[in-house]
Amino acid sequence: MEQELENKLNEILQLATEFKTYYATNEIAVREQLINPILNILGWKTSSPNFVRHNAPNDLGKIPDYTLIKNKKNVLVVEAKNLTVELKDDKIISQLAGYSYNMGISFGILTNGIKWLLFNTFQRNPNERIVWIADIEKTENNLSKIIKKLITISYENIEKLESSIHRIKVLESIWSSLCPNPQELIKLLSYSVKDKAKKDNPNILMEISDIETFVEGKITELFEVNIPVKETVEQNLDVTENENVNNNSKKPKTLIKVTFPDKTIFCERKASDTFVKTIEKIGFDRVKTLGLALNGVALIDSKKNPMYQQYEISKGVFIMIHSDTKNKINRLQEMSDRLNLNLSIETIEWKPNI
């Protein structure tokens, strides 16, 4: 099915490009020549009323362009539009949602053959009603994503559509928490590369800034996208790479200063070192009982995480240090508050001498 879909999508894109004016004014042609071929490949036999009812009124007299049927049950409505219509128009979506709602169908499709828009019938918020959009023109060189979306509404998979959408939402949520932006992806991969390089080539010094530049280039090369990296090394990301910021820039680095009630003071040149020493003085076991985490990873763990920078305080005991200065301070303050330590936690700026 995948290969057949890819061939047909390429053919449809060519037709829509060559006869754009024709399809912009002729909805019948859009249905017959652009939409029906896709539905047929997906298993919806458009010539058979056992699978598709064309312009069939529902109980309230509303007439969707297509009503898809499986096991004698209405499972999806599809509305066809010509190429000039903006599918994301809320009025159009609301109209088709009304068709679906009255038929008790959870989802509907708006399409002009080039764009396919899946919406949730029972989602009241217009901003959250659209589930996905598959646009052949925008991804003509990489149709795999469109094909995966279209297959979710195939005859074979239609009953699993809702669970598929829920699964994708869960994965999207997890991904957003782990990697909220392209810069974070670069950092995550760079730390893995750095750890691997240190293990396999301990005699070769590699700056994190150079690794990030290399990783960015590889991602761009692999996916043919440009990633807007704000800075090669963020000023407040204070793992070991902070020492590698170009001294000629004379930009100050944010450090953490922690003062205990017994006048013990920690203020190391790397905020991560201050973070670790403070936890050591408090006591690993005491801190571990708080159940704290950074980036979704336990602050103190017995396992090495392959994606994040950790500090091994003893054999088989790791402290999570992969975070910016602000998050480290927040965790230290939480330790102080919950354990009644009365710590004084400050930030100071330090500029390396030239």
Side-chain angles (χ1 to χ4, degrees), residues 95-155:
Q95 178 185 15
L96 185 53
Y99 299 167
S100 303
Y101 183 88
N102 293 326
M103 300 169 75
I105 299 175
S106 299
F107 299 96
I109 289 284
L110 273 169
T111 181
N112 57 18
I114 296 297
K115 293 181 182 179
W116 294 71
L117 182 154
L118 176 70
F119 67 88
N120 189 327
T121 302
F122 301 110
Q123 175 57 253
R124 294 177 178 271
N125 186 344
N127 296 325
E128 298 179 4
R129 185 174 285 168
I130 297 174
V131 178
W132 52 249
I133 297 176
D135 189 340
I136 302 173
E137 287 182 313
K138 289 187 177 180
T139 54
E140 57 180 298
N141 295 322
N142 183 12
L143 294 176
S144 60
K145 292 182 180 180
I146 290 179
I147 291 171
K148 287 179 181 179
K149 289 177 180 179
L150 291 176
I151 286 177
T152 64
I153 60 169
S154 68
Y155 182 83

Side-chain angles (χ1 to χ4, degrees), residues 39 41 63 69 72 100 106 111 130 210 269 272 292 304 306:
L39 291 177
I41 292 174
I63 307 176
I69 299 170
K72 299 182 179 181
S100 303
S106 299
T111 181
I130 297 174
D210 293 336
R269 287 179 58 185
S272 55
L292 302 178
K304 175 68 175 175

Side-chain angles (χ1 to χ4, degrees), residues 288 297-304 310 316-320:
K288 190 172 183 178
V297 176
L299 181 62
I300 298 180
D301 204 349
S302 59
K303 296 180 293 183
K304 175 68 175 175
Q310 292 169 300
V317 182
F318 301 90
I319 293 181
M320 174 70 172

Side-chain angles (χ1 to χ4, degrees), residues 234-262:
E234 285 190 331
Q235 294 178 22
N236 284 336
L237 187 63
D238 44 65
V239 195
T240 57
E241 63 272 21
N242 258 345
E243 292 187 338
N244 299 321
V245 178
N246 189 345
N247 287 341
N248 293 328
S249 67
K250 297 184 180 180
K251 292 181 180 179
K253 181 171 65 173
T254 302
L255 305 182
I256 303 174
K257 179 180 179 181
V258 179
T259 305
F260 283 75
D262 65 1

Side-chain angles (χ1 to χ4, degrees), residues 12-282:
I12 286 172
L13 180 61
Q14 185 176 348
L15 287 173
T17 301
E18 185 176 354
F19 301 101
K20 189 170 185 178
T21 302
Y22 174 60
Y23 293 120
T25 57
N26 193 326
E27 187 179 306
I28 299 297
V30 169
R31 291 197 211 181
E32 292 294 329
Q33 298 169 11
L34 305 185
I35 297 175
N36 286 0
I38 298 300
L39 291 177
N40 281 309
I41 292 174
L42 292 174
W44 303 105
K45 300 176 182 178
T46 56
S47 61
S48 171
N50 288 317
F51 294 85
V52 178
R53 305 283 172 88
H54 298 269
N55 303 309
N58 61 22
D59 292 341
L60 296 179
K62 304 295 183 180
I63 307 176
D65 291 334
Y66 300 81
T67 302
L68 307 189
I69 299 170
K70 185 171 183 179
N71 298 326
K72 299 182 179 181
K73 179 181 177 182
N74 297 330
V75 292
L76 193 69
V77 292
V78 179
E79 189 75 359
K81 298 295 179 183
N82 66 52
L83 295 186
T84 65
V85 176
E86 173 53 62
L87 299 185
K88 291 191 289 185
D89 188 322
D90 187 54
K91 291 182 179 179
I92 297 175
I93 296 176
S94 296
Q95 178 185 15
L96 185 53
Y99 299 167
S100 303
Y101 183 88
N102 293 326
M103 300 169 75
I105 299 175
S106 299
F107 299 96
I109 289 284
L110 273 169
T111 181
N112 57 18
I114 296 297
K115 293 181 182 179
W116 294 71
L117 182 154
L118 176 70
F119 67 88
N120 189 327
T121 302
F122 301 110
Q123 175 57 253
R124 294 177 178 271
N125 186 344
N127 296 325
E128 298 179 4
R129 185 174 285 168
I130 297 174
V131 178
W132 52 249
I133 297 176
D135 189 340
I136 302 173
E137 287 182 313
K138 289 187 177 180
T139 54
E140 57 180 298
N141 295 322
N142 183 12
L143 294 176
S144 60
K145 292 182 180 180
I146 290 179
I147 291 171
K148 287 179 181 179
K149 289 177 180 179
L150 291 176
I151 286 177
T152 64
I153 60 169
S154 68
Y155 182 83
E156 181 181 352
N157 294 324
I158 191 66
E159 291 108 335
K160 298 180 285 187
L161 178 59
E162 192 160 4
S163 61
S164 296
I165 292 170
H166 178 69
R167 183 170 62 253
I168 291 171
K169 284 184 176 180
V170 170
L171 292 173
E172 288 284 358
S173 176
I174 293 172
W175 176 259
S176 296
S177 66
L178 293 175
C179 184
N181 54 56
Q183 290 77 32
E184 287 299 317
L185 176 59
I186 290 173
K187 289 173 192 166
L188 290 174
L189 293 175
S190 296
Y191 291 130
S192 295
V193 172
K194 182 180 179 181
D195 288 343
K196 179 69 173 173
K198 185 177 180 180
K199 180 179 178 181
D200 295 349
N201 303 276
N203 297 323
I204 300 178
L205 178 63
M206 294 192 185
E207 305 287 355
I208 191 66
S209 57
D210 293 336
I211 295 175
E212 287 185 341
T213 300
F214 173 80
V215 169
E216 179 193 353
K218 284 298 181 182
I219 293 175
T220 301
E221 177 185 319
L222 182 61
F223 297 105
E224 297 182 344
V225 296
N226 292 320
I227 301 175
V229 181
K230 295 179 181 178
E231 295 182 35
T232 304
V233 181
E234 285 190 331
Q235 294 178 22
N236 284 336
L237 187 63
D238 44 65
V239 195
T240 57
E241 63 272 21
N242 258 345
E243 292 187 338
N244 299 321
V245 178
N246 189 345
N247 287 341
N248 293 328
S249 67
K250 297 184 180 180
K251 292 181 180 179
K253 181 171 65 173
T254 302
L255 305 182
I256 303 174
K257 179 180 179 181
V258 179
T259 305
F260 283 75
D262 65 1
K263 306 304 180 184
T264 299
I265 297 176
F266 295 127
C267 186
E268 305 299 316
R269 287 179 58 185
K270 291 184 290 185
S272 55
D273 287 348
T274 302
F275 187 67
V276 170
K277 288 192 173 185
T278 301
I279 293 174
E280 285 179 327
K281 180 169 174 61
I282 295 171

